[in-house]
Amino acid sequence: SLLERNVIDLTAAQEWETEWNQSGLPSRLSEQEYRQQKRDRLRKRLTDSVRVNAQQGSSSGGVYGDLASFLDTFAGRGRREDTSQGTRFAHAKDLLFTKAEMTEQAP
């Protein structure tokens, strides 16, 4: 219901305010930096926890090869198979150098 949703939102806001006052302000980080650092710590803890559990499961005969590659990708250490993705700057640079090479090769 609407009342329950408002209570949940209010409680979450109060919890964040308490955490920010107790941990965030003394860290001397901006609110965005603190949130990013907290998110990174949580991601690392989750990844490490799942990796340890996957290794324990694989030693007992489970199949977790795909899970390990997923975790590497999730943690940002995975290989990117699709290299067609990139920034607009990278595409523009590639196009510029390709055009320059073509004009140099032209008679």
Side-chain angles (χ1 to χ4, degrees):
S1 78
L2 185 59
L3 181 60
E4 290 173 340
R5 183 66 193 160
N6 285 338
V7 169
I8 290 170
D9 290 343
L10 179 63
T11 303
Q14 288 173 340
E15 288 175 0
W16 166 248
E17 188 70 26
T18 301
E19 179 183 348
W20 175 246
N21 288 334
Q22 290 178 354
S23 301
L25 288 175
S27 71
R28 295 185 181 195
L29 297 172
S30 70
E31 188 173 341
Q32 293 82 13
E33 291 170 333
Y34 180 77
R35 285 181 189 256
Q36 181 64 40
Q37 187 180 58
K38 182 179 176 181
R39 190 176 301 118
D40 292 343
R41 281 192 315 262
L42 180 60
R43 181 178 291 141
K44 183 180 181 331
R45 285 178 45 203
L46 286 172
T47 303
D48 291 344
S49 175
V50 172
R51 179 172 284 117
V52 166
N53 289 330
Q55 288 172 348
Q56 290 173 351
S58 66
S59 66
S60 64
V63 179
Y64 288 99
D66 291 336
L67 181 61
S69 65
F70 168 75
L71 289 175
D72 286 340
T73 303
F74 180 73
R77 294 187 297 257
R79 295 183 310 215
R80 287 183 54 187
E81 297 295 329
D82 182 19
T83 58
S84 64
Q85 299 271 337
T87 64
R88 294 172 88 190
F89 174 75
H91 289 299
K93 183 180 73 170
D94 291 341
L95 182 62
L96 177 68
F97 286 119
T98 303
K99 284 182 181 178
E101 290 172 359
M102 291 176 74
T103 57
E104 290 174 1
Q105 294 175 356

